[in-house]
């Protein structure tokens, strides 16, 4: 679903690369945490996946498209297959909950009938029924993030990317948000969450390992070009590999195997 | 992209950015009004040319006692000379169409009548006028035939062509109209810069919205359309107001006042306004779309 092969990203005028020779593979239906401290390149990784930025070198494949060569006019179609959630929610303050979610469908030309049907459904999924008419400032942080998640999934994307989705939330609310993301993942959406919060990931991994058909495994930390650690971003990924809803488990990748090294240093 | 949604967003955008929209409307209105005035002034010149060139006459002034014309050497034209000139003119039909004889006394009377509101009428004396033949032509361009046959002929003081006088007047009118068009070009530049600034401002104040649109995969056209439409609507409202002003100017200024005050000439009318309006409004639409397109390419990341 997402494949990074030896991807390097150097921002203009930057002295060191934000990502250096990073490789990563996310299968369809997986739930992957990308864990790393601030500045380790997590956000850059996600920005590359939605073609907000172009990689300096290496190949980025998302939903069957090579993003480095994808022409600009095809980018909107790519982004319709990817939902995106951020730490700061990015809701429109003058629109209600319903309008914020509907906006995502309106701007891609969906019919009013479809919007009237899909938006309440999606708000139910994220647990916001009855709050359709509220404005963002009348909601708690957790509720605002649920609106943002609803907006990200309302067009039924195959991939959901979340960049520090719990960064502004307290631990209990964070847990609830991660559980919501887990629920979305169970319905077949590939979910990638970037976070610096080790504890939350461990707790979630421990809590869900017994209840999910997949398994959790922490990949080893990946200090890429480890000679000067401060200058080389590093992060690790933690994943729950679920059996895809369609088709048998991937051959050669038995469930529960320590599938380390998905993010491979080079 | 649904039309209802687009129109709704357009309305919200214009309401939220009202002062900007009003400034674009006003600047467009003034520039297009000036441009319209310039274009109409040129049409006025053409109208007057058509009207007057049919009526221009060549005047052959004769000599009177103590005439100021050098060719007369101070002697009056004899009746024989006068008859000779008349006969020669009769032979020249066409291009000569009609011949009137105007005596010194008639000329003085006509002058007094024409300038009755001016202090000139008090000061003028009959002695300053001369007898003349007034010759109208079938073709105003053929006046030089008359000039070459009669200047210097015995008894002729001076041959004067009214077309030369008119041409001087028309040249003046032309200069005025080009001045108005040049001014309006400056104003159009102002309007373009203002539109560009407005779009930059709006793009900045809506970066949150456009950011979300990009994230959820809205097409570039969808993201840019509200900006283009807002600029286009403001500019078109401005241009329409300008055409309204132009209509009022022609209807009340010319139709209601000038044409009654100066009965003796032809003026442009409503048809001229309707002839100019589509070009001006169409031009404004093109300028607005091009300006917003160029500005968006620079200032709105899609």
């Amino acid at each position: 679903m997402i494949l990074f092969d030896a991807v390097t990203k150097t921002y203009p005028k930057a002295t060191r690369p934000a990502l250096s020779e990073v490789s990563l593979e996310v299968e369809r239906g997986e739930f992957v945490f990308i864990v790393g401290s601030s500045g380790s390149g997590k956000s850059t990784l996600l920005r590359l996946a939605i073609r907000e930025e172009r990689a300096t070198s290496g190949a980025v494949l998302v939903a069957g498209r090579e993003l480095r060569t994808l022409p600009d006019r095809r980018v909107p179609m790519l982004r319709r297959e990817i939902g995106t959630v951020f730490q700061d929610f990015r809701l429109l303050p003058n629109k209600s909950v319903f309008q914020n979610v509907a906006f995502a469908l309106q701007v891609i030309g969906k019919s009013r009938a479809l919007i009237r049907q899909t938006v309440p459904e999606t708000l139910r999924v994220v647990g916001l029924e009855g709050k359709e008419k509220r404005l963002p400032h009348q909601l708690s942080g957790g509720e605002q993030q649920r609106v943002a998640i609803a907006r990200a999934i309302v067009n039924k994307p195959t991939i959901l990317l979340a960049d520090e989705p719990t960064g502004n939330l307290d631990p209990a609310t964070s847990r609830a948000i991660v559980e919501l993301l887990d629920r979305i993942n169970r319905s077949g959406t590939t979910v990638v969450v970037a976070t610096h919060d080790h504890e939350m990931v461990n707790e979630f991994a421990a809590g869900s390992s017994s209840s999910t058909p997949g398994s959790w495994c922490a990949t080893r930390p990946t200090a890429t070009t480890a000679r000067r650690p401060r200058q080389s971003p590093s992060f690790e990924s933690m994943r729950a590999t679920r059996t895809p809803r369609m088709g048998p488990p991937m051959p050669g990748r038995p469930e529960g195997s320590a599938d380390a090294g998905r993010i491979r240093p080079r | 992209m649904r039309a209802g949604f687009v129109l709704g967003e357009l309305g919200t955008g214009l309401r939220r950015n009202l002062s900007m929209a009003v400034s674009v409307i006003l600047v467009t209105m003034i520039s297009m009004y000036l441009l319209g005035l310039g274009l109409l002034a040129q049409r006025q010149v053409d109208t007057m040319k058509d009207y007057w060139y049919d009526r221009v006459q060549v005047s052959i002034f004769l000599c009177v006692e103590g005439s100021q014309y050098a060719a007369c050497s101070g002697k009056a034209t004899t009746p024989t000379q006068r008859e000779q000139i008349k006969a020669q003119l009769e032979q020249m039909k066409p291009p000569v169409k009609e011949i009137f004889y105007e005596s010194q006394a008639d000329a003085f009377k006509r002058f007094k009548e024409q300038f009755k509101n001016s202090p000139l009428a008090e000061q003028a004396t009959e002695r300053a006028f001369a007898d003349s033949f007034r010759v109208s032509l079938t073709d105003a361009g053929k006046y030089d035939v008359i000039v070459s046959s009669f200047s210097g002929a015995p008894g002729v003081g001076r041959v004067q062509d009214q077309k030369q006088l008119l041409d001087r007047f028309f040249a003046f009118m032309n200069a005025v109209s080009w001045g108005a068009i040049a001014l309006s070009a400056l104003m159009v530049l102002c309007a373009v810069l203002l539109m560009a600034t407005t779009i930059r401002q709006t793009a900045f104040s809506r970066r949150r919205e456009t950011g979300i649109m990009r994230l959820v995969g809205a097409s570039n056209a969808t993201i840019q359309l509200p900006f283009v439409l807002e600029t286009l609507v403001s500019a078109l409202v401005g241009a329409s107001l300008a055409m309204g002003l132009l209509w009022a100017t022609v209807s009340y200024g010319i139709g209601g006042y000038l044409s009654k005050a100066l009965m003796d000439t032809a003026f442009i009318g409503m048809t001229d306004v309707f002839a100019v309006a589509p070009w001006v409004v169409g031009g404004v639409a093109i300028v607005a779309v091009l300006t917003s397109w160029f500005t968006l390419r620079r200032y709105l990341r899609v």
Side-chain angles (χ1 to χ4, degrees), chain A residues 50 52 76 79-80 86 90-95 103-104 106-111 151, chain B residues 1-2 4-5 9 12 16 208-209 212-220 222 301-302:
Chain A
I50 55 172
E52 186 88 343
R79 291 186 183 156
R80 285 177 202 193
F86 298 94
R90 301 199 186 173
L91 302 178
L92 297 174
N94 51 346
K95 286 190 191 291
F103 187 71
Q106 285 167 333
V107 298
I108 57 172
K110 298 295 186 192
S111 73
R151 182 178 64 196
Chain B
M1 200 68 177
R2 302 274 141 178
F5 175 68
E9 290 290 297
T12 330
R16 278 199 327 211
R208 191 182 265 271
E209 242 145 319
I212 291 166
M213 286 167 103
R214 286 195 298 125
L215 276 181
V216 301
S219 66
N220 293 353
T222 307
R301 232 189 108 198
V302 287

Side-chain angles (χ1 to χ4, degrees), chain B residues 131-205:
Chain B
D131 300 332
S132 62
F133 284 105
R134 306 217 159 228
V135 181
S136 65
L137 303 172
T138 49
D139 176 2
K142 292 269 173 62
Y143 77 98
D144 50 332
V145 181
I146 313 284
V147 176
S148 60
S149 337
F150 289 96
S151 42
V156 173
R158 187 170 158 228
V159 183
Q160 190 195 43
D161 173 28
Q162 285 180 334
K163 186 163 176 286
Q164 283 174 313
L165 288 174
L166 280 176
D167 281 347
R168 231 174 289 157
F169 171 71
F170 290 147
F172 171 74
M173 288 277 289
N174 249 328
V176 170
S177 75
W178 279 113
I181 289 170
L183 263 183
S184 76
L186 268 183
M187 289 298 295
V188 167
L189 184 67
C190 287
V192 166
L193 293 177
L194 185 67
M195 286 174 201
T197 314
T198 307
I199 288 171
R200 275 179 66 182
Q201 288 278 345
T202 317
F204 183 75
S205 67

Side-chain angles (χ1 to χ4, degrees), chain B residues 10-89:
Chain B
L10 175 65
T12 330
L14 284 175
R15 255 202 317 284
R16 278 199 327 211
N17 235 352
L18 193 63
S19 59
M20 287 291 212
V22 168
S23 62
V24 170
I25 288 173
L26 288 180
V27 171
T28 314
M29 181 183 88
I30 294 168
S31 57
M32 289 306 115
Y33 181 59
L34 273 175
L35 179 65
L37 280 186
L39 293 176
L40 284 183
Q42 292 207 319
R43 295 180 77 92
Q44 174 64 38
V45 170
D46 291 344
T47 311
M48 286 177 95
K49 273 184 181 165
D50 286 348
Y51 180 83
W52 280 109
Y53 281 0
D54 280 349
R55 288 166 179 74
V56 287
Q57 294 172 330
V58 181
S59 300
I60 301 172
F61 291 102
L62 306 181
C63 296
V64 290
E65 202 65 55
S67 172
Q68 75 268 38
Y69 299 130
C72 298
S73 334
K75 275 177 276 180
T77 310
T78 62
T80 335
Q81 284 172 332
R82 194 162 62 205
E83 287 309 312
Q84 221 175 344
I85 292 166
K86 190 167 184 209
Q88 199 181 341
L89 278 172

